[in-house]
């Protein structure tokens, strides 16, 4: 119609947190947080960055030079137009483990390794605007399960006066019935990103590059196009990607 008035209500963040133990005389600890919470799994939000319900075990070691996270998220549906969380289960399970090491090889450089597991179950859903969103509105229109494992290495910081931020991810898994291929497919795809910059007085010279593998034949049994789980990239500068 002609009326464009609408409103949405969402409870985005709610959680409880407790410290489980102090594990060194240098304030190293282990804590757990349960409830709906924000979590970004890497420096630039390439694979998973969201506010959703989950349980997260986290802490640090070696005088805070090492940090770790082990998180499980049971995703809620997003409201169609606002993108806010609803109170409806999405039937999607995500497990994330990562480890950060500060001053790795060079003072001021932080390295990270990570593992992501995404289990997106078969489902059938129309959004509030009446559009089919699951299964994918293409090809065979059949509900299908995607199971994917992401292996990642990333880094952020500086080496002397050179600033560096990089990431590499390799995803492996299986799609039970890819909508375009019309059959089960094996997933094998890669992503790489690199940003370098150099500071001179009040000027920063910066260059960025990002690569994601594509799929030259979308109808065979090999899925080689890369995609994150729920990404929110911050890469290349505020006026770029």
């Amino acid at each position: 119609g002609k009326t464009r008035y609408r409103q949405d209500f969402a409870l985005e963040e709610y959680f409880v947190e407790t410290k489980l133990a102090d594990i060194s005389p240098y304030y190293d600890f282990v804590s757990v947080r349960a409830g709906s919470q924000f979590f970004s799994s890497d420096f630039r939000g390439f694979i998973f960055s969201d506010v959703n319900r989950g349980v997260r075990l986290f802490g640090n070691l070696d005088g805070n030079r090492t940090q770790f996270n082990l998180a499980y998220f049971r995703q809620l549906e997003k409201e169609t137009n606002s993108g806010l969380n609803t109170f409806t289960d999405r039937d999607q399970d995500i497990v994330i483990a990562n480890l950060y090491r500060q001053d790795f090889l060079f003072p001021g450089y932080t390295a990270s390794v990570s593992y992501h597991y995404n289990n997106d179950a078969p489902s059938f859903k129309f959004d509030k605007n009446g559009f089919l969103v699951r299964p994918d509105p293409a090809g065979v229109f059949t509900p299908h399960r995607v199971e994917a494992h992401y292996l990642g290495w990333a880094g952020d910081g500086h080496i002397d006066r050179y600033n560096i931020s990089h990431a590499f991810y390799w995803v492996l898994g299986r799609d039970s019935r890819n909508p375009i291929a019309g059959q089960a497919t094996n997933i094998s795809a890669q992503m790489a990103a690199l940003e370098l910059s150099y500071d001179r007085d009040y000027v920063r010279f910066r260059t960025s590059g990002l690569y994601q593998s594509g799929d030259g034949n979308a109808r065979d049994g090999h899925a080689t196009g890369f995609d994150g789980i729920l990404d929110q990239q911050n890469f290349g500068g505020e006026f770029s990607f």
Side-chain angles (χ1 to χ4, degrees):
K2 299 179 180 179
T3 301
R4 291 294 182 268
Y5 174 78
R6 57 170 294 127
Q7 59 185 3
D8 297 294
F9 170 77
L11 186 58
E12 290 291 279
E13 285 192 275
Y14 51 92
F15 57 82
V16 294
E17 178 182 322
T18 185
K19 183 167 67 175
L20 301 179
D22 289 310
I23 54 178
S24 84
Y26 306 106
Y27 302 103
D28 295 322
F29 68 93
V30 178
S31 290
V32 64
R33 175 183 291 184
S36 185
Q37 54 192 287
F38 171 76
F39 185 71
S40 184
S41 64
D42 63 17
F43 300 106
R44 298 301 184 98
F46 285 125
I47 307 301
F48 180 86
S49 181
D50 190 26
V51 177
N52 226 302
R53 59 180 180 176
V55 179
R56 174 177 160 233
L57 181 74
F58 63 98
N60 56 15
L61 303 166
D62 193 21
N64 198 35
R65 291 184 64 188
T66 301
Q67 296 95 35
F68 61 88
N69 292 278
L70 178 61
Y72 165 74
F73 289 92
R74 178 71 176 181
Q75 294 293 98
L76 292 167
E77 288 279 5
K78 300 292 186 181
E79 203 280 327
T80 301
N81 299 294
S82 68
L84 298 171
N85 289 336
T86 68
F87 297 97
T88 304
D89 187 78
R90 169 71 170 78
D91 202 11
Q92 181 182 17
D93 297 299
I94 297 169
V95 176
I96 301 169
N98 59 25
L99 180 71
Y100 296 90
R101 178 66 177 179
Q102 296 184 20
D103 297 331
F104 180 73
L105 298 181
F106 303 94
Y109 170 75
T110 301
S112 171
V113 291
S114 63
Y115 167 76
H116 299 67
Y117 170 67
N118 179 33
N119 184 358
D120 198 354
S123 58
F124 188 84
K125 178 176 175 58
F126 283 89
D127 66 17
K128 285 190 174 182
N129 297 327
F131 294 102
L132 178 67
V133 293
R134 293 195 306 273
D136 311 80
V140 295
F141 288 81
T142 302
H144 57 110
R145 180 183 299 274
V146 175
E147 286 191 86
H149 306 265
Y150 294 78
L151 305 176
W153 167 55
D156 190 80
H158 68 88
I159 300 173
D160 293 328
R161 293 183 65 179
Y162 295 91
N163 307 297
I164 181 171
S165 183
H166 65 86
F168 174 78
Y169 288 98
W170 187 10
V171 56
L172 301 164
R174 182 175 175 82
D175 186 341
S176 65
R177 189 171 178 82
N178 184 270
I180 297 178
Q183 60 179 315
T185 57
N186 293 316
I187 301 168
S188 180
Q190 301 81 34
M191 187 220 82
L194 176 65
E195 181 175 281
L196 295 172
S197 66
Y198 178 77
D199 296 331
R200 183 176 177 84
D201 294 329
Y202 299 102
V203 179
R204 171 168 290 184
F205 302 92
R206 179 170 58 188
T207 182
S208 305
L210 186 142
Y211 165 79
Q212 289 180 271
S213 61
D215 199 330
N217 182 4
R219 297 185 179 276
D220 63 11
H222 302 283
T224 58
F226 187 90
D227 190 16
I229 300 173
L230 192 60
D231 49 7
Q232 186 176 345
Q233 301 97 336
N234 176 18
F235 183 73
E238 60 182 339
F239 299 112
S240 186
F241 183 68

